[in-house]
Amino acid sequence: YMISNKGIHYGGLRSKFTYTKAIFTEFSRKKILSLEHLRLSDFKNIIDSKQFSYRSRYLYKTNLKSLLIAYSYLARNLYSKEFAAYLNDTDIGKIKAIIEANKSTLLPTPFFKKFSQLLDSYVKNTNNSLRERGIAGLLYIGTQTGLRSSELVILGTNCIEETRYKGNIAYQLAYQSVKNSFNGILPIEKTIANDKVKEMVDYLNNLFQDHRKESNYLVPVFFKGELIRKVKIVYDYNDLNTFIKKLCILNYTTLDVLNTNESSMFASAFSVGNTEDKVLNKIAKNVGLKKGDVISCPRVKQFRVYFATELNERGYSERVVFSLLAHEST
């Protein structure tokens, strides 16, 4: 239902699927094999046993609520008054306060500039794999435009449009907004494209022109050096996030992200030897890092925050920022 109404690339689907999958797993462990056998006490016991934070409890409850409403509409009415009372019992003021406290922080300017330059040079280094050069190119465009990760990966080959402003040639980046979809149709939004974005899009178009046989995506998907068809159409957030961590590990000295005092300004981190990612742990070991060393890393959303902040500091109004970032409301 969500896919047909919002579209397969709608960012919120990943979160909804993750929470629904997790709760279904717990249902199976409790031998609850049908939603129609679910009792409110079963769900309460599962939630209470996990010792979730207030926000996590809220997310599990809202996902179960939407699931029960959809099931009740399509099959049999399971959304009883008892369920409704429990699932709607939330302090929204508390949730808003938690969201406000967890907003993405602003990256340090020296780091942001060095990281952007590293992405640009990585794309153009022919010794790197096509897969990672493509991902680096998408991330670079993200640093310059503030697009969401799910919008970057579905950029098309014809995403650059030429326009004129006061007699000068300027460029716009046309992209599909994942936040404002309706009935699975993603609306086309436009934002500014500086000369660096124009150059990168042209470079990626040329780089992948011989590998783009089944789609018009700017960067086709590769896996272990091979072009992927049918299995995976576009990269996802985890692909982008893993590459960000790799780049930070390989360039920790240049980026000054090893056990940094500015760790609170980064939304992510990689602790050597304390994560299950064997590839990243091996890379860290090869560059001389020790177990317990922490590499601070950005998330794609922080590029968006940086872009918006830069516009604000240059004097652009909130309405301009709202328009360029395709926010749902001011």
Side-chain angles (χ1 to χ4, degrees), residues 55-70:
R55 184 167 185 265
S56 291
R57 293 171 72 94
Y58 168 73
L59 290 171
Y60 273 101
K61 287 166 71 174
T62 53
N63 273 275
L64 181 64
K65 175 183 173 181
S66 62
L67 179 67
L68 290 179
I69 289 174

Side-chain angles (χ1 to χ4, degrees), residues 95-104:
I95 292 298
K96 286 183 177 179
I98 293 171
I99 292 172
E100 189 68 28
N102 289 332
K103 279 188 174 179
S104 297

